[in-house]
Structure formats: C-alpha cells, structure tokens
Amino acid sequence: MSAHKIIIAIDGFSSCGKSTLAKQLAAKLGYNYIDSGAMYRAITLYFLRHSVHISDHEQVLKALDNIHLSFVFNEKREQSDIYLNDENVEPYIRDLIVAEKVSEVAAIKEVRTFAVGQQQKMGQKKGIVMDGRDIGTVVFPDAELKIFMTAEPDVRVMRRYDELAASNPGITIEEVRHNLELRDYIDSNREESPLRKADDAIMLDNSNLNKEEQLEKVLEWVKDKATNIVAGNIP
Ligand code: DC
C-alpha cells in the first residue's frame, strides 16, 4: 500500500477480535504488530510466580525493576512471542489464572507507566499496529488511525471460550462469561487510563462481520488516512 507508514491504534473490550484484526493488518501492510495486553499478562505472570503483593507499593516497584520484556517474531505463529526475562512465556500468559489477576495488575499506576514507556518507544518509527485498552487515548494519542472495537457480549464469550477450551479442559462458558464481565468492568472503571473510546476513533462493531469483511473495511480506512497524509491534510 502506501510508503507513508502510520500508527494504527486498536482499542476495545476483551475478546472483540482486536488481535485478529491487528495481526491481519500488520501482515498486509508489512507493519509490526504489538499485543500490549501480552505485556500486562507477562507482568502478572511474574507477580504470581514471585508472590508479589499488589497492594505493597515497594514490592511492586522492586518487581518491575526485575522485569525485562521483549518481543521476538515467531515465524510459525506469524506474530511475536513475548519474552519475560529471556523466557518465552507465550504458552502461559493466556491461562485463566493469569486472566483472573491481570486487570488488577494493569490498574496499578506504576505498572502502566512501565508498560506505556516501552510501548511508545516501539512506535517511534511508525509502521506499527498496537492493540489494547489505552492505545488511542494514552499511548499514541496522535495515531493516524484509531479504531474502537466492540461486539455483542454473547459473541465475545463464545469467541473466548473457543480460544480457551483447548488449553483449559473443563472450563465452562459461565466461568468465561464471569471473567470477561469482571475484566470489562475493572478495565472501564479503573482510575488509571480506563478503557474508553478516543474522540477521534472510528467505531467498529464486528458482531456480524467475518474476518475478511472486517479487514477489507479497515484497509479502506488505512488507505484514506494514508492518502490524506500524502495530500498534507493530517499533521
Ligand atoms: O487484551 P488482553 O485481554 O490480552 O489484555 C489483558 C488485560 O490487560 C486486560 O484485562 C486489560 C489490560 N490491558 C490494559 O489495561 N491496557 C492495555 N493497553 C492492554 C491490556
């Protein structure tokens, strides 16, 4: 498409298909895809493994000092794996035990400062698609294209259930629903960078769109933005 690389910020509730879209876009445009949620999940995994008390400020700061996160492209998955202190923790960060704790960890101010700083560095050269909860509002407020994704709750529950069932045998739909509702509530109501649509984000409800239709729609938006940049309409 265009040689003018932009930043694409995708935000929305859990299990709206943000990562699927982000990954497709990155592949199509030759951009980097960064899953910012993976960073909060990896931090949560570290906290769980080291029994960090999240209400203990000193313990949280000390733990963050000992955490190094990096992304390494995995050819097989066609997306980057997240490394926690040089260990590929991709296989562990989607477990329910992490999912149950991650919203609380992501609500901690110091954790957000730590993650956001790294995310902003990754976007310095543009040509990046990042998904999360605060990408268009806090991480890249000047992103050229911002998308806010939603889907009907039942659609989201079934998507997450299908994703989790393979690696979490015995998990029930009700457990998945409860976890999603709780995370949405915490993510939207926390004091630090709550999930909200940026004023200039485009709303995308994909309840009734398949992946191809969705990609086609968003590629049109990318084309519009890139054309505007070439024409000098966007700062
Ligand atoms: O996208 P995900 O479900 O993997 O995100 C895991 C958690 O991390 C989610 O409950 C909210 C939090 N998160 C966040 O607060 N800010 C982001 N930019 C990304 C994720």
Side-chain angles (χ1 to χ4, degrees), residues 19-54:
S19 61
T20 303
L21 172 64
K23 193 171 145 177
Q24 284 176 311
L25 281 173
K28 197 85 187 170
L29 299 166
Y31 281 18
N32 271 335
Y33 161 48
I34 298 294
D35 170 2
S36 71
M39 298 173 73
Y40 294 100
R41 287 170 180 270
I43 295 168
T44 303
L45 182 68
Y46 182 96
F47 282 18
L48 284 167
R49 284 178 173 177
H50 294 84
S51 308
V52 174
H53 291 284
I54 59 174

Side-chain angles (χ1 to χ4, degrees), residues 102-119:
V102 65
S103 280
E104 277 177 72
V105 172
I108 302 171
K109 187 175 180 192
E110 291 75 12
V111 168
R112 302 207 70 81
T113 306
F114 174 85
V116 169
Q118 297 188 21
Q119 290 155 6

Side-chain angles (χ1 to χ4, degrees), residues 36-37 40-41 94 102-103 106 112 132-135 160 183 187 190:
S36 71
Y40 294 100
R41 287 170 180 270
R94 316 273 158 204
V102 65
S103 280
R112 302 207 70 81
R133 306 294 187 290
D134 61 340
I135 311 304
R160 186 62 114 193
R183 282 206 292 145
D187 294 344
R190 67 183 177 216

